[in-house]
Amino acid sequence: LGATLIAVAKERGIATVLVRHVTQDGSIAGPRVIEHLVDVVLQFEGERHSRLRLVRAIKNRYGACDEVGCFDLGEQGIVGLADPSGLFLTRRHEAVPGTCVTVALEGRRPMVAEVQSLVARSTLATPRRSTSGLDSARVSMVLAVAERRAQVTLAGADIFVATVGGVRLTEPAGDLAVALAIASAASDRPLPAGLVAVGEVGLAGEVRRVDGVERRLAEAARLGFTHAFVPSGSGRVPEGMRITEVDDLRHAIAGAFR
């Protein structure tokens, strides 16, 4: 059937769209021959309780696969979002402990997102660890590094970490923001206003470089952020933005509350 549709499309010069559902692990259901026949494979994805929907190119025979389309799913239907960053930030007048902003890359599109954390004394024998919008294994690693390498006291506490707006952060570039949000919540001190943090945290407590720092910071500067914590040697930065280069998590946390 697929080959017949392709032959008719080429003969008559018409664009043809084939719709398939995906399995629980995100792969296209059924025989994979359809993927080989078509020129482009687009995947429509999004969290059930989030209004954000993404269209991502899995295969593109005549172009790049690092573009992503953002859409808002509302009562009136699906509307394209030219600037989705505002969905993932909380607008507030006063700084609140336990929040930090980072910049994620979805394909080649930078999106500013907020990480929130709550650290509270636990009454349970085994304190709770809960995440939403983040990789739970990676958050557990950041918690261990923050406690062991940066002396952030987390023992005996319930810890909750989540993103705003339903965005899902899976790349390591958000590690530094997660660590700073947790340190802020644990000490009950807010981070400075206008701060963004980008960097991967290693098991030794080092802050590693990530890709696309210039694009990430340009997007943050466009939205009014004025100060950024980035790994050392990150390259050029936007004019008017103050940069603090950090080598390890302990110095990053100390510098944030200085």
Side-chain angles (χ1 to χ4, degrees), residues 15-256:
T16 304
V17 179
L18 305 178
V19 180
R20 301 286 298 272
H21 73 275
V22 298
T23 60
Q24 291 183 350
D25 62 357
S27 60
I28 298 177
R32 302 188 68 89
V33 64
I34 297 296
E35 296 181 56
H36 299 294
L37 289 174
V38 300
D39 295 326
V40 179
V41 178
L42 299 177
Q43 183 167 310
F44 193 64
E45 59 188 45
E47 297 291 334
R48 176 179 298 179
H49 302 293
S50 171
R51 294 179 54 176
L52 176 69
R53 295 294 185 270
L54 301 177
V55 173
R56 194 186 306 275
I58 307 301
K59 168 191 173 182
N60 190 351
R61 185 168 291 166
Y62 303 110
C65 287
D66 55 356
E67 291 286 356
V68 63
C70 298
F71 298 86
D72 182 22
L73 178 61
E75 295 181 358
Q76 305 302 321
I78 297 177
V79 180
L81 294 174
D83 186 9
S85 289
L87 290 176
F88 315 130
L89 296 174
T90 302
R91 304 298 180 183
R92 59 173 67 90
H93 299 291
E94 297 181 359
V96 177
T99 66
C100 186
V101 175
T102 188
V103 188
L105 280 181
E106 283 290 347
R108 290 191 296 176
R109 172 179 288 189
M111 291 194 298
V112 177
E114 181 178 323
V115 177
Q116 295 184 342
S117 176
L118 179 65
V119 177
R121 186 172 61 86
S122 179
T123 58
L124 304 175
T126 303
R128 286 172 291 185
R129 302 286 189 267
S130 177
T131 63
S132 177
L134 296 154
D135 181 18
S136 59
R138 192 142 200 101
V139 171
S140 297
M141 184 271 291
V142 172
L143 289 172
V145 173
E147 187 164 31
R148 184 67 177 87
R149 306 295 185 187
Q151 288 73 54
V152 179
T153 303
L154 300 173
D158 292 331
I159 301 175
F160 305 88
V161 188
T163 57
V164 171
V167 65
R168 182 160 183 80
L169 302 179
T170 57
E171 59 172 340
D175 289 352
L176 184 57
V178 171
L180 290 177
I182 292 169
S184 172
S187 62
D188 199 29
R189 290 183 293 173
L191 293 168
L195 174 70
V196 296
V198 176
E200 177 184 356
V201 174
L203 291 177
E206 76 278 14
V207 179
R208 302 171 181 165
R209 285 183 290 179
V210 296
D211 295 331
V213 171
E214 186 176 353
R215 269 184 292 154
R216 298 174 197 261
L217 296 187
E219 176 69 5
R222 185 182 69 83
L223 293 177
F225 291 90
T226 57
H227 188 191
F229 275 36
V230 298
S232 297
S234 294
R236 294 187 302 170
V237 296
E239 293 185 5
M241 176 169 277
R242 185 160 56 94
I243 299 299
T244 299
E245 293 189 342
V246 293
D247 295 314
D248 59 66
L249 184 57
R250 182 169 59 87
H251 289 129
I253 293 175

